[in-house]
Amino acid sequence: MKDQGGTTGEAAGPALTDVLDGIPAGILVVDRRGNIIAINNLLAEWLGIDAREARGRHFRELPCEKGDGGQNNPLLLTLKTGQEFNCVKHTSRFSVSIRALRNARGEITGAMAVFQDTGYCRELEQAVIKAERLAILGQLCAITMHEIKNPLAAVRGYLQLFKKELRDSPRAGRVDTMLAAVDRINTIITDFLRLARPAVPRRKSCSLPAVIESAIKLIEGEAKHRGIRVAFSCEGELSAVMLDEEQFHQVLLNVFKNACEAMPDGGEITVRAVAEPDTALFRIEVEDTGPGMAEDLCRRAFEPFITTKENGTGLGLYISRLIVKNHGGDMKIENNPNRGCKVVIFLPQANSLVDQGLA
């Protein structure tokens, strides 16, 4: 900034303008006479003006300064005395911090005002409070669910004994219905506990093809019953991967189960494991030949409690993605309406995990 003996400072250069536009606050810089040297785009947007047209004009022409205090205007006082101010402006929308700018001799050459949108700050504060309350609620839910799960195990045990006693009775079917209901409750509780207390993965070096093949074997029976063929192939050099095998089985089984349920009249599930040397990632694709998903549902598929299943909790994909992210990877869904869905899982290769300090 050039300012000698009260001359108007030069307009901010392109580099300074880029810096100011990258700051998540409104910035106003004036010379000693109060003429605007720089105003970033965020403040200009808040005030409904053009930043380029504002430069060179007096700051009192800005909408937030009109009729503000005459000679007692905080920015004018800062230019005269060097006093710092923290105040509220423009019908309390902004909180403003004003500081003097000085040269090497300590002389005042201008001032800078930093504007914060108080509405946004209040929203952020409310969001933090809400998050803290939800965290406490989550802990209480986890404790409650755990306490319910213990007596539920006893109920299931006695129902199984009761079923043996009624082996040849027509009432045995009613016990099966009760057992199914208990299992349903247990599944919901387990999902909520995983949501509230996601387990830290216990990684070990695994063969990715072997892990996938073992998960496929677990759903082969259901797939055959539904008339679904499962095909698995590998591409590239699939070296070792660091996985919590039990957790990753849960992810694969959830994805496989969703694919099976999308094809009640039969179809095909294609599973591919691909090594991507350029990205140091493994890519696992699970593609079905079902009807696909509605676009709005596809966009929200990884949100909690989103489901189209009559008895679904809507937590399966959400928890699966949490597990994958805890392994340093990610998940996405590619939707082909009327032609099926493809779930893609990305996992870092073992050497890249070491580089990230996650192994």
Side-chain angles (χ1 to χ4, degrees):
M1 181 172 63
K2 181 180 178 181
D3 193 326
Q4 300 292 334
T7 59
T8 302
E10 293 180 339
L16 177 58
T17 300
D18 290 342
V19 170
L20 296 181
D21 285 339
I23 298 174
I27 304 294
L28 175 68
V29 182
V30 300
D31 64 16
R32 198 168 66 183
R33 291 180 174 179
N35 295 315
I36 297 171
I37 297 172
I39 179 171
N40 68 350
N41 285 330
L42 183 59
L43 180 57
E45 180 184 336
W46 284 346
L47 299 179
I49 62 174
D50 187 303
R52 289 170 297 182
E53 293 180 2
R55 294 184 187 113
R57 297 166 64 180
H58 198 275
F59 78 87
R60 296 301 293 269
E61 298 179 44
L62 294 175
C64 61
E65 297 292 339
K66 289 179 179 178
D68 189 4
Q71 294 302 311
N72 292 322
N73 179 284
L75 192 49
L76 281 180
L77 291 174
T78 297
L79 290 170
K80 288 181 179 180
T81 67
Q83 184 178 352
E84 297 181 353
F85 288 93
N86 293 298
C87 53
V88 176
K89 284 184 173 290
H90 207 34
T91 62
S92 301
R93 179 183 175 184
F94 302 117
S95 63
V96 188
S97 298
I98 303 172
R99 302 291 183 270
L101 301 175
R102 300 177 184 271
N103 60 19
R105 297 186 297 274
E107 299 167 342
I108 297 173
T109 58
M112 181 171 70
V114 180
F115 291 69
Q116 295 285 353
D117 188 334
T118 56
Y120 172 76
C121 292
R122 281 194 294 269
E123 289 176 7
L124 190 61
E125 183 180 347
Q126 290 300 317
V128 171
I129 293 171
K130 184 178 180 180
E132 290 174 348
R133 288 175 178 171
L134 287 174
I136 294 171
L137 183 60
Q139 292 174 3
L140 291 174
C141 285
I143 294 169
T144 304
M145 292 292 184
H146 191 270
E147 292 302 315
I148 293 173
K149 195 168 185 177
N150 290 334
L152 198 64
V155 171
R156 195 182 195 287
Y158 279 109
L159 281 173
Q160 287 176 315
L161 290 174
F162 193 38
K163 182 181 177 180
K164 287 182 180 179
E165 294 176 4
L166 297 174
R167 186 177 303 164
D168 300 323
S169 170
R171 289 183 294 173
R174 298 177 184 175
V175 179
D176 286 333
T177 302
M178 287 187 282
L179 281 169
V182 169
D183 288 341
R184 165 76 179 144
I185 295 170
N186 192 56
T187 298
I188 293 172
I189 291 173
T190 301
D191 282 347
F192 271 99
L193 285 173
R194 285 173 178 157
L195 180 64
R197 297 176 180 173
V200 177
R202 298 178 179 178
R203 298 183 185 87
K204 63 179 181 180
S205 181
C206 302
S207 164
L208 186 58
V211 172
I212 295 172
E213 285 173 349
S214 65
I216 289 174
K217 286 179 182 177
L218 294 176
I219 57 101
E220 275 183 342
E222 181 179 353
K224 287 180 180 178
H225 177 71
R226 293 174 180 265
I228 297 170
R229 190 174 80 87
V230 182
F232 174 48
S233 63
C234 298
E235 298 176 23
E237 187 178 345
L238 295 170
S239 56
V241 62
M242 299 297 292
L243 285 178
D244 183 316
E245 196 167 343
E246 182 180 343
Q247 286 191 9
F248 198 65
H249 261 160
Q250 180 188 339
V251 173
L252 292 175
L253 288 174
N254 184 59
V255 174
F256 292 160
K257 187 171 182 291
N258 286 347
C260 286
E261 291 175 351
M263 299 180 290
D265 300 321
E268 184 171 346
I269 298 174
T270 303
V271 184
R272 284 184 292 270
V274 182
E276 297 184 343
D278 295 337
T279 61
L281 291 172
F282 291 130
R283 187 177 78 249
I284 303 158
E285 300 176 352
V286 181
E287 189 170 8
D288 64 57
T289 56
M293 301 172 69
E295 285 301 325
D296 59 334
L297 183 63
C298 185
R299 286 192 297 270
R300 304 179 62 198
F302 293 109
E303 294 180 20
F305 313 116
I306 300 297
T307 183
T308 58
K309 301 175 187 176
E310 185 177 347
N311 294 318
T313 62
L315 292 173
L317 283 176
Y318 177 77
I319 292 171
S320 294
R321 194 182 194 192
L322 281 181
I323 291 172
V324 173
K325 281 183 171 289
N326 283 340
H327 281 77
D330 203 356
M331 287 179 72
K332 69 175 184 177
I333 293 179
E334 297 177 2
N335 187 38
N336 294 308
N338 302 317
R339 289 184 295 163
C341 275
K342 182 195 292 184
V343 176
V344 186
I345 302 169
F346 297 97
L347 286 174
Q349 297 177 20
N351 54 353
S352 66
L353 268 177
V354 172
D355 293 339
Q356 297 174 45
L358 295 173

